C-alpha cells in the first residue's frame, strides 16, 4: 500500500499524486471541486487544488470508508464499529450498532445511509442515527453496499455472493468464483461486481443485454472450477487427487487404498492382491470440519476463526487458527499484526486452547519466538498481565438476524386445496365455501410467482391475489385451513406479497390476528398449529411487520404456548424459532416486559426433556441472548437458569454443550 491519492485526468491520461497520509488510503469522496480521502491512519484529508486544505483525526481506529451525502455532509465508517456524520470537521452524530468493522457505505436516496460490516450485516440508518433496518443473509464479511433509484440494494461479501435486496429482504443471490470485493449499480439498473479472481462482471435482468451462450458457459465453467479447487475429500483437496490413470499402477499390499478423482467426487479403491485389481470401495465424503464448512478469513480457510473482544470499546478482532499450528506462534504473530501488547500473549494462548479443545496441548520446547528469537512464553511461568482483562467471547450468543421457514411443497399444497375444494363442492351445506375454477387458477398463478425466486425483486401480485388469500383466511372451514396458511407463509416472504398483506393489517379489521385465534382455538387440527406458527415466524423476515409483532406479542405467544409441551418435533422446532426471533426483536426494541415473557417461555421449553435437538438449541440461544443483551438477566437467575445451563453443558450434542457453556459463563459474570 503506497499511502497515495492519485487524481487522473481522463482526457490526457495524466495523474497528479497527492501525498499526506501515513498509511494506506481506504476511501475517496468528491465534494464539489475538493477530494476527501480516508485512511488507515485514522484521518481524513480534504484536498483542494492538489494541496491539503484541512486534516483531522476522525476515529481512533482505521477509517475504512467515506461518502458524501446530498446535503454536503460526510459520513465515515471505521474499524471501531461506528459510523460518524461530519459537518465540516465537527462530528454531529455517531451511529452505534454494528459489532465489527464498518467496511462499506452508500447513500439510500430519501431514506438515509447504508453500511456494510464485517459482522455480516447491512444496516440502513436515518441521518438522526436511528437504525431503520438490519439486513442479514451473508454468511461472512460484507465488503460493499450500494443502492439504486428503484429502491433495490446490492451487497458483496467474502462468502462469494453478490446479494440483491428489496424492502430489507434478500431476493436474489449471485454466486461468484471468489470473494466479491465490490458491487455497484449502473444507472440503468445493471450491476457491476469486482471479484477476487481478477474479473469485473456486469449483471442484467434485461434479456436483450444478456451475454451469449459461450460467455455463460465460460462463467459456469469458472464457477465449477473454483468449487472443485476448494472442495476437500477426506481432508484432501479434490484437484490434487490423481485421476483414473493412477489405477493402472498395481498396489503394494492387500487392502491398500487410493482415493481417485472422478468428476467432482473422490472415490476410494482398495487393492485386491488375490485378483490383482483395484476394487471400488465407494465415494469419500467430507468430515464435519472439512471442505466449505471450514471458516474463511481473507480468502483462506482455517479450522477456526475466533472473535476476540479486547474490551473497553475496542472492536472485535478476527483470530484465525489451525489445530496443527503452534498456539504461541499464532498468538505472537496475531498480536503484532493487530498492534496489541505482547503481554496479552498468555491470555490469547489460553483462549485458543480452550476454544479449540486442546487443553492437553504439550509445548514444543524447541519453539522460538519468530520475531525476537527468544523462547516461547511457557504456561506457569511468571507473567505481567495487563490490567485490562479481555471480555469473554461466546460461541452462539447473542443471536443476530431472523430465522424463517422458506421451503414449501407447492404441488402438494395445491393438491390438498383441490382435494378439500372437491369435498366442499360435494357437500350441499358447505358448497358456498368452495372456490370457483377461476379462483383455483389464480392460486396456481400465485404459486408460479412463488416458485420463481430469482425474480422476487421484480415480480408482483395482483390485488385480486391478495384479496383471494384474505378471503380464504377469513372464511374457509377451520379444519381445511392449513394448506391455505402454508401458501400465506410463503407469500409473506415475497417482498410484494408482504407489502400487500401489511396494508390490510393496518385497517380496523386485523384478518391475520383473527385467523390465528381461529385456528389455535381448535387444537384438534395439529397441521393448523404448525403452519400458522411458521407463518408468524416468517413475518420476522420483513422489518415492516416488527411493530405488529411487538403489539400482538402477548396474544401470539399465549396462542401457541401449548407447543411447549408438545411431542411433535416439527412443532417444537417451529415454536423455538418463534421465541428466538422474538428475543432478537425485543432486545432491539428494549422491551423488558416482552423479553420477560419470551424468557419465561424459552425456559419452560428448554426444560422439556424430550425436546428435539435443534429446538432445544434455539431455545437456549434465545435465553442466552436475552441474558447477554437484554434486560432480564436477573429474572433468568431467579428462575434457576443455572440448572438448565448445567444440563445443557453436559449434553452429548456439541452445539447444545457450547451454548450451555455460554450461559454458564454469563452466570459467572453475575
Amino acid at each position: 500500500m503506497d499511502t497515495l491519492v492519485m487524481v487522473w485526468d481522463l482526457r490526457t491520461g495524466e495523474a497528479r499524486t497527492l501525498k499526506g497520509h501515513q498509511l494506506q488510503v481506504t476511501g475517496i469522496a468528491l465534494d464539489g471541486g475538493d477530494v476527501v480521502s480516508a485512511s488507515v491512519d485514522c484521518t481524513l484529508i480534504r484536498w483542494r487544488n492538489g494541496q491539503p486544505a484541512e486534516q483531522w483525526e476522525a476515529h481512533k481506529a482505521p477509517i475504512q470508508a467515506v461518502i458524501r451525502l446530498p446535503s454536503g455532509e460526510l459520513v465515515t465508517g471505521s474499524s471501531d464499529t461506528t459510523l460518524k456524520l461530519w459537518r465540516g470537521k465537527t462530528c454531529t452524530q455517531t451511529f452505534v450498532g454494528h459489532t465489527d468493522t464498518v467496511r462499506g457505505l452508500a447513500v439510500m436516496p430519501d431514506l438515509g445511509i447504508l453500511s456494510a460490516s464485517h459482522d455480516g450485516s447491512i444496516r440502513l440508518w436515518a441521518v438522526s442515527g436511528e437504525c431503520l433496518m438490519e439486513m442479514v443473509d451473508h454468511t461472512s464479511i460484507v465488503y460493499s453496499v450500494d443502492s439504486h433509484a428503484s429502491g433495490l440494494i446490492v451487497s458483496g461479501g467474502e462468502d462469494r455472493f453478490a446479494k440483491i435486496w428489496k424492502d430489507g429482504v434478500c431476493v436474489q443471490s449471485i454466486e461468484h468464483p471468489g470473494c466479491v470485493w465490490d458491487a455497484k449499480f449502473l444507472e440503468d439498473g445493471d450491476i457491476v461486481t469486482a471479484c477476487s479472481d481478477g474479473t469485473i462482471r456486469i449483471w442484467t435482468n434485461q434479456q436483450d443485454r444478456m451475454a451469449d451462450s459461450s460467455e455463460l458457459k465460460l462463467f459456469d465453467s469458472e464457477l465449477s472450477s473454483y468449487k472443485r479447487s476448494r472442495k476437500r475429500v477426506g481432508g484432501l483437496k479434490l484437484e490434487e487427487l490423481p485421476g483414473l490413470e493412477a489405477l493402472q499402477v498395481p498396489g503394494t499390499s492387500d487392502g491398500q487404498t487410493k482415493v481417485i478423482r472422478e468428476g467432482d467426487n473422490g472415490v476410494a479403491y482398495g487393492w485386491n492382491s488375490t485378483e490383482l485389481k483395484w476394487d471400488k470401495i465407494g465415494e469419500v465424503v467430507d468430515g464435519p470440519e472439512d471442505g466449505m464448512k471450514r471458516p474463511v478469513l481473507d480468502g483462506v480457510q482455517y479450522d477456526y476463526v475466533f472473535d476476540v473482544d479486547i474490551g473497553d470499546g475496542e472492536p472485535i478482532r478476527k483470530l484465525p487458527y489451525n489445530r496443527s499450528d503452534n498456539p504461541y506462534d499464532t498468538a505472537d504473530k496475531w498480536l503484532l499484526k493487530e498492534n496489541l501488547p505482547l503481554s496479552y500473549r498468555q491470555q490469547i494462548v489460553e483462549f485458543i486452547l480452550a476454544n479449540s479443545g486442546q487443553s492437553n496441548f504439550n509445548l514444543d520446547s524447541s519453539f522460538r519466538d519468530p520475531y525476537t528469537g527468544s523462547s516461547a512464553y511457557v504456561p506457569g511461568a511468571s507473567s505481567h498481565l495487563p490490567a485490562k482483562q479481555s471480555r469473554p467471547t461466546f460461541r452462539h450468543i447473542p443471536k443476530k438476524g431472523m430465522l424463517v421457514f422458506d421451503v414449501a411443497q407447492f404441488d402438494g399444497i395445491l393438491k390438498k386445496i383441490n382435494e378439500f375444494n372437491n369435498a366442499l363442492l360435494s357437500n350441499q351445506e358447505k358448497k358456498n365455501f368452495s372456490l370457483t375454477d377461476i379462483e383455483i387458477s389464480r392460486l396456481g398463478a400465485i404459486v408460479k410467482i412463488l416458485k420463481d425466486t430469482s425474480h422476487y425483486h421484480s415480480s408482483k401480485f395482483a390485488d385480486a391475489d391478495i384479496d383471494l388469500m384474505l378471503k380464504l383466511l377469513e372464511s374457509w372451514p377451520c379444519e381445511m385451513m392449513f394448506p391455505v396458511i402454508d401458501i400465506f407463509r410463503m407469500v409473506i416472504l415475497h417482498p410484494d406479497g408482504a407489502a400487500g398483506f401489511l396494508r390490510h393489517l393496518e385497517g380496523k379489521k386485523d384478518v391475520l390476528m383473527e385467523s390465528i385465534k381461529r385456528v389455535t382455538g381448535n387444537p384438534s387440527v395439529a397441521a393448523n398449529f404448525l403452519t400458522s406458527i411458521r407463518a408468524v415466524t416468517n413475518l420476522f423476515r420483513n422489518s415492516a411487520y416488527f411493530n405488529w409483532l411487538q403489539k400482538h406479542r402477548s396474544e401470539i405467544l399465549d396462542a401457541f404456548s401449548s407447543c411447549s409441551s408438545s411431542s411433535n418435533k416439527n412443532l417444537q422446532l417451529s415454536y423455538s424459532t418463534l421465541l428466538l426471533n422474538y428475543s432478537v426483536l425485543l432486545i432491539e426494541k428494549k422491551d423488558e416486559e416482552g423479553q420477560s415473557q419470551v424468557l419465561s417461555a424459552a425456559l419452560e421449553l428448554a426444560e422439556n426433556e424430550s425436546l428435539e435437538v435443534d429446538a432445544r438449541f434455539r431455545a437456549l440461544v434465545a435465553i442466552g441472548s436475552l441474558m447477554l443483551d437484554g434486560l432480564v438477566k436477573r429474572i433468568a437467575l431467579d428462575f434457576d437458569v443455572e440448572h438448565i445451563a448445567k444440563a445443557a453443558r453436559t449434553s452429548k450434542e456439541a452445539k447444545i454443550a457450547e451454548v450451555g457453556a455460554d450461559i454458564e459463563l454469563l452466570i459467572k459474570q453475575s
Side-chain angles (χ1 to χ4, degrees), residues 44 249 278 284 329 369 384 402 436 439 523 557 560 574 588:
L44 292 177
V249 180
W278 292 97
V284 180
D329 184 10
D369 188 308
H384 300 284
M402 303 298 186
T436 66
E439 288 173 327
L557 293 180
F560 294 115
S574 301
E588 181 180 321

Side-chain angles (χ1 to χ4, degrees), residues 465-511:
D465 296 336
I466 303 298
D467 290 342
L468 175 59
M469 292 300 302
L470 290 168
K471 170 188 171 182
L472 290 170
L473 288 171
E474 285 186 274
S475 62
W476 242 37
C478 189
E479 66 275 13
M480 299 180 175
M481 282 287 287
F482 61 89
V484 172
I485 300 171
D486 231 8
I487 292 184
F488 169 76
R489 168 176 70 89
M490 299 306 293
V491 170
I492 55 180
L493 292 180
H494 187 292
D496 189 62
F501 275 110
L502 185 63
R503 290 191 292 270
H504 292 275
L505 298 188
E506 294 169 344
K508 293 181 179 179
K509 188 176 183 181
D510 190 333
V511 175

Side-chain angles (χ1 to χ4, degrees), residues 428-534:
Q428 290 300 318
E429 294 181 3
K430 297 184 177 181
K431 190 173 183 179
N432 59 313
F433 293 115
S434 65
L435 298 172
T436 66
D437 289 343
I438 293 176
E439 288 173 327
I440 290 289
S441 177
R442 186 164 288 284
L443 283 175
I446 291 172
V447 165
K448 185 177 181 180
I449 292 173
L450 294 175
K451 285 182 174 181
D452 187 11
T453 56
S454 63
H455 288 88
Y456 269 29
H457 63 287
S458 57
S459 56
K460 301 283 185 183
F461 290 101
D463 289 342
D465 296 336
I466 303 298
D467 290 342
L468 175 59
M469 292 300 302
L470 290 168
K471 170 188 171 182
L472 290 170
L473 288 171
E474 285 186 274
S475 62
W476 242 37
C478 189
E479 66 275 13
M480 299 180 175
M481 282 287 287
F482 61 89
V484 172
I485 300 171
D486 231 8
I487 292 184
F488 169 76
R489 168 176 70 89
M490 299 306 293
V491 170
I492 55 180
L493 292 180
H494 187 292
D496 189 62
F501 275 110
L502 185 63
R503 290 191 292 270
H504 292 275
L505 298 188
E506 294 169 344
K508 293 181 179 179
K509 188 176 183 181
D510 190 333
V511 175
L512 181 54
M513 198 62 232
E514 289 183 4
S515 299
I516 291 171
K517 291 177 179 177
R518 189 157 71 97
V519 298
T520 56
N522 183 5
S524 62
V525 187
N528 279 348
F529 260 79
L530 182 62
T531 52
S532 57
I533 196 171
R534 288 180 171 180

Side-chain angles (χ1 to χ4, degrees), residues 188-372:
D188 60 7
D190 288 352
I191 293 169
V192 182
T193 57
C195 181
S196 61
D197 67 352
T199 304
I200 292 175
R201 296 177 175 89
I202 300 177
W203 306 83
T204 186
N205 60 5
Q206 300 300 313
Q207 194 69 36
D208 59 345
R209 292 207 295 274
M210 290 186 183
D212 59 34
S213 58
S214 62
E215 286 279 351
L216 296 176
K217 287 180 180 177
L218 175 62
F219 174 70
D220 288 340
S221 173
E222 291 169 344
L223 201 55
S224 297
S225 176
Y226 179 86
K227 288 180 177 179
R228 281 197 302 273
S229 73
R230 308 298 290 179
K231 184 173 181 180
R232 301 177 74 87
V233 177
L236 304 172
K237 282 190 175 182
L238 179 67
E239 64 177 1
E240 294 177 357
L241 295 177
L244 289 170
E245 67 278 0
L247 299 180
Q248 302 301 316
V249 180
T252 57
S253 61
D254 191 48
Q256 177 191 354
T257 59
K258 278 187 178 181
V259 180
I260 303 298
R261 184 180 70 253
E262 293 186 16
D264 288 342
N265 298 304
V267 179
Y269 286 82
W271 178 247
N272 184 332
S273 59
T274 303
E275 300 181 19
L276 299 178
K277 68 183 183 71
W278 292 97
D279 291 333
K280 187 172 183 177
I281 299 172
E283 185 176 322
V284 180
V285 297
D286 290 342
E289 293 182 358
D290 288 335
M292 297 301 288
K293 294 182 180 178
R294 299 174 70 216
V296 176
L297 181 65
D298 297 331
V300 179
Q301 284 188 328
Y302 295 92
D303 292 338
Y304 304 94
V305 175
F306 301 118
D307 288 336
V308 181
D309 190 346
I310 302 299
D312 286 356
E314 290 286 324
I316 291 176
R317 326 276 181 119
K318 299 291 184 182
L319 168 57
Y321 177 68
N322 290 316
R323 289 179 68 89
S324 59
D325 293 343
N326 188 304
Y328 296 94
D329 184 10
T330 298
D332 282 334
K333 289 180 178 179
W334 183 78
L335 289 169
L336 286 163
K337 174 179 175 289
E338 295 291 337
N339 195 28
L340 293 170
L342 286 175
S343 55
Y344 278 36
R345 178 198 288 157
Q346 185 58 23
Q347 288 175 262
I348 297 300
V349 169
E350 290 174 0
F351 173 85
I352 291 172
L353 295 178
N355 286 281
S356 61
Q358 293 179 284
S359 55
N360 59 345
F361 175 81
N362 293 316
L363 176 67
D364 180 357
S365 60
S366 66
F367 170 71
R368 309 291 289 178
D369 188 308
Y371 292 92
T372 66

Side-chain angles (χ1 to χ4, degrees), residues 5 7 18 21 25-39 43-48 54-56 58 63 65-68 72-76 86 88:
V5 176
V7 181
L18 309 181
H21 285 293
V25 177
T26 54
I28 294 290
L30 301 180
D31 187 7
D34 294 349
V35 175
V36 179
S37 57
S39 170
T43 69
L44 292 177
I45 299 180
R46 178 179 293 277
W47 306 86
R48 188 169 295 150
E54 51 188 7
Q55 180 173 2
W56 69 99
I63 305 171
V66 60
I67 58 170
R68 179 186 182 276
E73 295 162 302
L74 298 174
V75 180
T76 52
W86 300 90

